[in-house]
């Protein structure tokens, strides 16, 4: 990726909580954050088979629309007792209007022991960065190292 200071970044999401959290982190660093809502980016159908596929799809779409560096993610709840479900389909798992995902999860886990529920559930996240058409799925350590290489302390 090009070695130049990061002054603007697009967060390819319409989730206001993610935007507010990242904006609070980047504002003191003089990095202007744009969101999918701010820029009215097209909605990306998250139909990939993996979190990575969906994150890459969102990053490509936002990069194409803006030409700016992009951070995209996809994440979901993975419950071992349910064979990894809902996984990549977390957002669409409960198709009952006005009812949260956990309602279906609790119903499906009714016969699972509480101890198994606690140790067999996790949240998985995949990040993708797109700069000048180059895609990367860095680890958190790689992100921190790149951040410090740009002179941020």
């Amino acid at each position: 990726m090009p070695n130049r200071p990061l002054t603007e970044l697009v967060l390819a999401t319409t989730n206001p909580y993610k935007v507010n959290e990242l904006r609070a982190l980047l504002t003191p660093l003089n990095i202007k954050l744009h969101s999918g809502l701010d820029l009215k980016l097209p909605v990306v159908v998250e139909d990939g088979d993996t979190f990575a596929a969906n994150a890459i799809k969102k990053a490509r779409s936002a990069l194409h629309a803006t030409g700016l560096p992009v951070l995209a993610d996809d994440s979901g709840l993975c419950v071992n007792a349910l064979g990894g479900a809902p996984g990549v389909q977390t957002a669409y798992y409960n198709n009952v209007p006005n009812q949260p995902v956990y309602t279906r999860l609790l119903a499906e886990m009714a016969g699972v022991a509480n101890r198994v529920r606690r140790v067999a559930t996790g949240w998985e996240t995949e990040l993708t960065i797109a700069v000048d058409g180059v895609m990367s799925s860095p680890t958190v350590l790689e992100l921190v190292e790149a951040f410090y290489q740009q002179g941020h302390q």
Side-chain angles (χ1 to χ4, degrees):
M1 289 189 198
N3 189 11
R4 62 176 185 257
L6 182 65
T7 58
E8 290 184 273
L9 180 68
V10 174
L11 182 58
T13 186
T14 56
N15 181 323
Y17 301 106
K18 289 180 184 179
V19 173
N20 289 338
E21 287 179 14
L22 192 57
R23 189 168 277 143
L25 291 171
L26 296 179
T27 297
L29 304 172
N30 295 319
I31 299 172
K32 184 174 182 177
L33 182 68
H34 306 281
S35 74
L37 289 172
D38 298 337
L39 300 173
K40 296 178 177 53
L41 294 177
V43 174
V44 175
V45 177
E46 298 177 33
D47 56 0
D49 291 338
T50 64
F51 295 114
N54 286 335
I56 289 168
K57 191 173 179 182
K58 289 190 272 188
R60 281 188 178 137
S61 176
L63 179 66
H64 178 73
T66 68
L68 295 170
V70 175
L71 176 64
D73 81 302
D74 192 37
S75 57
L77 187 62
C78 302
V79 180
N80 290 344
L82 298 177
V88 74
Q89 294 299 315
T90 297
Y92 312 106
Y93 194 61
N94 190 9
N95 56 6
V96 178
N98 301 316
Q99 195 175 74
V101 169
Y102 68 80
T103 304
R104 178 174 173 190
L105 283 173
L106 290 175
E108 291 185 3
M109 293 185 64
V112 177
N114 284 337
R115 188 180 65 170
V116 174
R117 287 185 197 185
R118 283 194 303 274
V119 299
T121 304
W123 189 265
E124 185 174 329
T125 300
E126 181 71 33
L127 295 175
T128 297
I129 295 177
V131 179
D132 293 339
V134 177
M135 295 286 170
S136 175
S137 292
T139 64
V140 171
L141 179 59
E142 290 168 334
L143 286 172
V144 170
E145 287 173 348
F147 181 75
Y148 281 107
Q149 286 175 0
Q150 290 188 3
H152 297 288
Q153 300 297 326

